[in-house]
Amino acid sequence: MSGETVTVGEAARLTGVSAKMIRWYEARGLLPPAARSAAGYRHYGEIEIRALHFVRRARDLGFDVEAIAGLLALWSDRDRPSAAVKAIAQARIVELRRRIAALEGMARSLEHLADACCGDDRPDCPILDDLSAGLGERAPREKRTPP
Amino acid sequence: MSGETVTVGEAARLTGVSAKMIRWYEARGLLPPAARSAAGYRHYGEIEIRALHFVRRARDLGFDVEAIAGLLALWSDRDRPSAAVKAIAQARIVELRRRIAALEGMARSLEHLADACCGDDRPDCPILDDLSAGLGERAPREKRTPP
DNA sequence: GATGGACCTTCCCACCGTGGGAAGGTCAAG
DNA sequence: CTTGACCTTCCCACGGTGGGAAGGTCCATC
């Protein structure tokens, strides 16, 4: 019979999506409203559990809510063109690569600065010098306007 | 002299930190309360502008508010040990590398999937297959305590 | 002077995604 | 019946950022 249904907490345990998040996804329209018991408890069957797994996996891949909603819609459409799915994935890849590049730039800058900083008891620090650079003079140690 | 002071808007234009954010940083204690005119307008001198530049630059390097507060404190302490600064920078580097690795993993998975997806009119899609897979394998199977 | 527009002030609300917790209802076991 | 685990909704918080309302100020121009 496959009539076994579980509550949110159980669904959370099964899928790795917290009960809070399950309710939140539902409220945001990402998931359809769950079936309710007479007392108002949400109940989830195998298909819903599968959808939650899907959401979890997509979330792990860095998709945001909108994208996941789109993927879910395509997932449940048996006639979807695979091109539509691929487009979403590729947009996500572009975004990921963009963010990676940004973080990489930061990391490299910082590594460069940290390498130049001897890191001892003395106050001379290229890191702070760099952070305060770009205006006029560098350090705030000269508190008064330089000549 | 050098009593030239500017308002928030001007400071924002000069430093690239929005007026909103300047006020927010002040409210969060990241920046000391700005001097006020009789009418209550904030006014910023060269030193404050410098600090804002510093904040902007640190933000661009991915430091969060707490770290920036720490860096600012060290920046204005002439006797700080450079090791303290370096420690903050290195912690940031570790965090950046961690996030880069996470994003990189996602990007690679997605690229792999997208490569396998032909992206045409047909519904067969390895991407969706992967997203909905893993139910039987990776998921912690229901290990209900026996009655 | 007055007027108008650009600016300032504070305050609230929104976003994303997540967690914490309160107040109250339900269910199953003892 | 009581107890404790669970459910419900609702509010609040976070980091940062933006939007906007309601009201006060500054300055140039008439």
Side-chain angles (χ1 to χ4, degrees), chain B residues 110-123:
Chain B
L110 273 180
E111 277 159 356
H112 194 250
L113 289 171
D115 281 352
C117 176
C118 52
D120 56 11
D121 291 351
R122 287 167 304 166

Side-chain angles (χ1 to χ4, degrees), chain B:
Chain B
M1 309 322 191
S2 81
E4 295 176 24
T5 62
V6 294
T7 58
V8 261
E10 196 79 17
R13 253 166 258 131
L14 289 173
T15 61
V17 183
S18 76
K20 280 259 193 197
M21 279 301 100
I22 295 177
R23 297 193 195 99
W24 186 79
Y25 288 150
E26 180 184 328
R28 303 236 89 236
L30 207 154
L31 300 169
R36 301 290 190 121
S37 73
Y41 282 27
R42 286 175 181 79
H43 278 88
Y44 300 88
E46 294 192 19
I47 297 170
E48 287 82 16
I49 294 297
R50 255 179 231 239
L52 282 171
H53 267 289
F54 184 98
V55 170
R56 170 82 152 98
R57 184 104 178 86
R59 206 187 50 183
D60 287 349
L61 283 174
F63 287 100
D64 58 359
V65 236
E66 283 183 49
I68 298 181
L71 288 171
L72 270 173
L74 292 172
W75 182 51
S76 40
D77 176 9
R78 263 173 308 179
D79 299 329
R80 80 256 160 170
S82 62
V85 184
K86 193 168 182 173
I88 295 182
Q90 280 172 333
R92 185 71 216 155
I93 290 169
V94 168
E95 172 64 13
L96 284 171
R97 287 280 163 226
R98 205 184 55 76
R99 284 169 53 189
I100 288 170
L103 295 180
E104 188 67 45
M106 297 176 194
R108 268 208 275 268
S109 298
L110 273 180
E111 277 159 356
H112 194 250
L113 289 171
D115 281 352
C117 176
C118 52
D120 56 11
D121 291 351
R122 287 167 304 166
D124 312 280
C125 182
I127 300 173
L128 291 183
D129 288 351
D130 179 276
L131 283 171
S132 56
L135 191 48
E137 310 164 9
R138 290 182 289 98
R141 275 309 256 185
E142 180 186 16
K143 39 174 184 178
R144 221 178 178 6
T145 43

